[in-house]
Amino acid sequence: MSALDRPADREVAPIGGNRDLAAPRSADGLFALALLAATTPIIVAAARAVARGWLPVGDDAYTAIRGRDVFGGHMPLLGTWSSASLWAHHRINHPGPLQFDAAAIPLRLLGPGAGVAFATAGVNVAAIVAAALLSRRLLGPRAATLTTLFTAGLVWAMGSELLYDPWSQYAPVLPFMAFLFAVWAVASGRAAAWPVLVIAGSYALQTHLSYSLLVPGLGAWAAISWVLAVRRSKREQLVGWVDVRRRQLRWTGAGFGALVICWALPLYQQITGEPGNLSELARSAIANGPNSPGPENALQAVGNIVAIPPFWLPPTWVRPPFWSGAAARPLVLIAAGLAVVAVIGVALAWLARRAQDRVVVAGLATAAVAIVFGFVSVANAKSAIGLVSTSYVRWLWPISMFTWTVLVIAVTRTARMATRPELRRRLAVTASVGLTGLAIVVGALAIPTADHGTAAARWAMPVTRELSRQAIPRLASRGPVLVRLRSLSSFTVGPALLFELQRHGIGFVTDDDTFTAQLGTDRRFDGTNARTLITVIGAESAADQPSGARRIAYVPGLDRPERQLMLRLGSAVRARVRDLHRVPLDRSALDRLSVVSRMSAAAAARRAKHGDEVALSDLARQDLIDDGMFGRVDIRRWADLVTQWQRETTAVLAERVHTKKRTERAP
């Protein structure tokens, strides 16, 4: 055993014989090369984004604002506002601010674009390194090389643009993967993994509510398994037990300390807040909300990603097999796939138990527990229409990746036991080289730009820069400002504009409850704490000269010839719809959509029939309109112009706030 493996062996020994083959230094070198291949796409993606001028806009901008707040006098106690508030009928935030804390220093040093991108990328790189090192500590460098190969596959599936995107639905995916490997390590008796488990699990849970059952459930499983492993090791090993116990207590204490630090601010808000967010989350969990997806949809989601090829690999991230109602696989096939995985897992666990390979047994059991908690999470998720929301179940991909990592490791270790030592060594070397080569190939495939659903709209970045260039000098002496967003596009550009206000020392407040939940309750307008009202508006209202307010910034979405072309094509399109008395939808295109998308398309067609140009242009841009019904009218060109006009035409209006006078009670 190499020198780097010996510390792991000292902890493995009390739990059972899990010594791997003697790994030469070359195995560690190949592992390091594979790890570099898995993390390089993340670093390249973040650097490329910064080089092209990426900015956090829309929901991403809240990470920048709240991250800068960490050292700026508005300490965030919670995560961002959650859309679950809409059905819960009371305000809910994601549980904690760890994502903001992680971005605080990079934001101060590098600014909004580079700070947020490199902070998110750094967390993802740390997650991959943690998972690989935990795997190495459990079973040696060759198992760790396999882990990095499968991790590279997950990175490839996500696509480069999500690897630095701080959106709360994507940012926890790789940290949750690291959490799964930490659960495996702790369940195997490795107390040194407790801090990783606590930090990675807290990051995932605090960033998005969809982990609210997975993280506590798997954490409890790890704790129970660890106690049993420690008791067993005490019975089996008397020599050196005192040193083992001290090491276990030291790392357990470090994990408990990390838990206290990670959850201190959410607990403080629970005690001092009105109301406490944690109690509101508990109340919403037991309240009668919208329909849940139920067991059948949960079986589709879990079974497709865990049990049916290509599992967590491309193209499942972009086109999840369970997402499209028309293309849903038969439940019999899904159930059969899960049954095969279960049978293989049970058989491998039995063989590993006979060989006293308790690390593999713990890994297989952890994968089973993760699948069960994943199924329950999907089945009981709150859903307005009773279907699975893909963005809320992205943790299925790391669960699948972890499951197959453990299964393949279990197969290789079982096969090794039946192989002659000489052949075993040759196969081990060949496998290490092959796995490293595959990791390099998969890592290279993940490097090219691939946008699989980033929340940062590229069109909003130049608009934000131009609005800031015009508005900031005119607001420098007129703060604090009361901010209102009054168009759909303003909710994309507006938050990024707020960061520029913050960066230039211009304070801001809001009188919108949802906006307050995003920015912090200490930014609520109380009638006296703002001098200037600024309103961000879009489209026609932005293009027209306002009355009663001064337009201090304006960005037209189209130049004059483009706008004239849009108006001319629009007249022809509206005339054709009136002649047809309906919106001609392409039925074959509709059949390829998910159930949710078909419902949305039908609603848009009804609005378009009654003159909603935006709805009609959206249908045309999605190729859901039968173009042949419009003759020579280029409806796609018209739709692109309408979309560009509606989303990019933005203005900032400013006017004086008529504040309330503070009244003092007479003595």
Side-chain angles (χ1 to χ4, degrees):
M1 186 68 68
S2 67
L4 291 176
D5 286 331
R6 286 175 194 138
D9 287 340
R10 286 200 295 269
E11 285 195 82
V12 172
I15 312 170
N18 288 293
R19 295 178 181 272
D20 203 350
L21 293 169
R25 291 185 181 275
S26 60
D28 283 317
L30 291 170
F31 160 62
L33 188 58
L35 184 57
L36 180 63
T39 54
T40 295
I42 302 176
I43 300 170
V44 170
R48 184 171 54 211
V50 173
R52 68 169 182 250
W54 181 85
L55 281 178
V57 295
D59 287 350
D60 288 356
Y62 294 120
T63 301
I65 295 170
R66 301 302 275 155
R68 192 174 175 87
D69 280 345
V70 172
F71 300 118
H74 296 275
M75 175 63 72
L77 305 179
L78 301 173
T80 56
W81 173 83
S82 171
S83 59
S85 305
L86 299 176
W87 60 260
H89 305 299
H90 56 270
R91 195 185 78 194
I92 297 173
N93 281 56
H94 295 296
L98 277 182
Q99 185 184 26
F100 309 146
D101 298 337
I105 294 177
L107 274 166
R108 290 284 174 173
L109 296 177
L110 304 175
V116 172
F118 282 122
T120 306
V123 169
N124 286 335
V125 168
I128 292 176
V129 171
L133 292 180
L134 286 170
S135 181
R136 188 198 180 287
R137 188 165 183 83
L138 286 169
L139 294 169
R142 295 191 179 101
T145 303
L146 176 70
T147 297
T148 56
L149 167 61
F150 283 10
T151 303
L154 179 57
V155 168
W156 180 28
M158 292 177 65
S160 64
E161 303 308 282
L162 300 188
L163 302 177
Y164 61 88
D165 191 333
W167 196 27
S168 61
Q169 297 174 9
Y170 298 144
V173 170
L174 292 176
F176 179 68
M177 179 203 66
F179 169 76
L180 289 172
F181 280 91
V183 170
W184 179 15
V186 170
S188 301
R190 268 61 168 193
W194 270 118
V196 179
L197 183 151
V198 169
I199 295 172
S202 297
Y203 185 93
L205 176 55
Q206 290 191 17
T207 305
H208 201 270
L209 286 174
S210 61
Y211 296 84
S212 57
L213 179 60
L214 284 163
V215 169
L218 284 163
W221 153 256
I224 294 170
S225 300
W226 178 75
V227 170
L228 295 176
V230 169
R231 287 184 176 179
R232 182 169 56 244
S233 64
K234 184 178 180 180
R235 291 195 306 267
E236 295 179 356
Q237 179 177 331
L238 298 179
V239 178
W241 167 248
V242 174
D243 292 337
V244 172
R245 183 177 61 181
R246 287 175 179 171
R247 188 164 57 249
Q248 296 274 6
L249 290 175
R250 184 168 60 249
W251 283 113
T252 305
F256 181 76
L259 183 67
V260 171
I261 293 172
C262 288
W263 290 92
L265 293 178
L267 289 173
Y268 175 78
Q269 193 281 334
Q270 172 61 32
I271 296 170
T272 61
E274 296 181 4
N277 189 61
L278 295 178
S279 59
E280 290 298 289
L281 290 174
R283 181 159 71 95
S284 65
I286 61 177
N288 292 324
N291 296 326
S292 297
E296 183 174 329
N297 287 318
L299 187 65
Q300 277 280 355
V302 176
N304 270 292
I305 302 303
V306 172
I308 306 295
F311 311 114
W312 75 97
L313 298 170
T316 57
W317 186 282
V318 182
R319 293 184 295 276
F322 60 86
W323 179 72
S324 177
R329 289 164 172 161
L331 281 179
V332 174
L333 174 63
I334 302 299
L338 283 172
V340 169
V341 172
V343 169
I344 294 173
V346 170
L348 290 172
W350 180 75
L351 292 172
R353 185 176 178 83
R354 286 191 60 188
Q356 295 187 343
D357 196 346
R358 291 173 183 155
V359 171
V360 169
V361 173
L364 292 168
T366 299
V369 172
I371 292 171
V372 170
F373 276 114
F375 178 87
V376 175
S377 295
V378 177
N380 293 284
K382 307 298 183 182
S383 173
I385 57 176
L387 296 176
V388 178
S389 176
T390 305
S391 58
Y392 290 170
V393 296
R394 288 301 185 183
W395 35 260
L396 279 173
W397 277 256
I399 287 178
S400 176
M401 173 258 171
F402 175 80
T403 299
W404 284 97
T405 300
V406 177
L407 285 173
V408 173
I409 288 174
V411 169
T412 57
R413 288 174 70 84
T414 301
R416 187 197 68 184
M417 301 301 294
T419 308
R420 297 193 308 274
E422 297 79 6
L423 179 60
R424 192 186 309 168
R425 291 188 179 88
R426 290 198 297 270
L427 290 176
V429 173
T430 302
S432 294
V433 174
L435 291 173
T436 303
L438 285 174
I440 293 172
V441 171
V442 175
L445 291 172
I447 289 178
T449 300
D451 186 351
H452 294 166
T454 177
R458 291 190 181 182
W459 63 264
M461 297 173 194
V463 173
T464 298
R465 288 191 179 90
E466 181 59 24
L467 287 177
S468 301
R469 186 189 67 80
Q470 298 178 35
I472 295 299
R474 296 169 182 173
L475 293 172
S477 60
R478 302 177 64 177
V481 298
L482 168 61
V483 182
R484 290 174 181 165
L485 307 182
R486 289 291 183 266
S487 68
L488 186 61
S489 62
S490 69
F491 286 95
T492 302
V493 174
L497 180 61
L498 290 183
F499 181 87
E500 292 302 316
L501 292 174
Q502 180 189 38
R503 193 160 66 94
H504 287 84
I506 303 172
F508 52 87
V509 294
T510 177
D511 55 3
D512 181 86
D513 288 341
T514 300
F515 215 18
T516 301
Q518 295 281 24
L519 301 172
T521 55
D522 52 350
R523 286 196 170 101
R524 180 182 286 113
F525 178 59
D526 63 6
T528 63
N529 56 349
R531 296 172 55 196
T532 305
L533 166 65
I534 65 170
T535 306
V536 185
I537 58 177
E540 294 295 341
S541 56
D544 297 336
Q545 290 294 329
S547 59
R550 180 187 175 195
R551 190 169 69 184
I552 61 172
Y554 174 60
V555 177
L558 300 174
D559 58 28
R560 186 180 296 274
E562 288 174 330
R563 190 177 180 190
Q564 291 175 348
L565 176 61
M566 179 189 71
L567 295 175
R568 186 169 64 252
L569 290 174
S571 298
V573 169
R574 289 191 298 273
R576 186 56 179 159
V577 170
R578 285 196 301 270
D579 292 342
L580 294 173
H581 302 291
R582 63 184 179 86
V583 176
L585 297 178
D586 187 331
R587 295 299 171 185
S588 61
L590 285 174
D591 290 341
R592 293 192 294 269
L593 296 178
S594 69
V595 175
V596 177
S597 297
R598 285 200 297 270
M599 294 171 61
S600 299
R606 289 192 294 270
R607 295 195 305 272
K609 181 181 176 181
H610 293 91
D612 189 332
E613 287 192 354
V614 176
L616 184 59
S617 66
D618 286 343
L619 292 172
R621 282 193 311 108
Q622 298 174 59
D623 293 324
L624 299 179
I625 298 290
D626 186 352
D627 295 351
M629 303 297 291
F630 286 86
R632 296 183 178 180
V633 178
D634 191 347
I635 188 171
R636 182 60 187 268
R637 173 62 174 156
W638 169 78
D640 290 340
L641 291 171
V642 169
T643 300
Q644 185 175 343
W645 172 259
Q646 291 290 333
R647 72 186 182 187
E648 296 185 25
T649 304
T650 313
V652 180
L653 310 181
E655 58 186 297
R656 183 180 178 83
V657 173
H658 300 288
T659 58
K660 301 176 183 178
K661 293 184 178 181
R662 295 185 184 272
T663 58
E664 295 183 1
R665 188 173 297 176

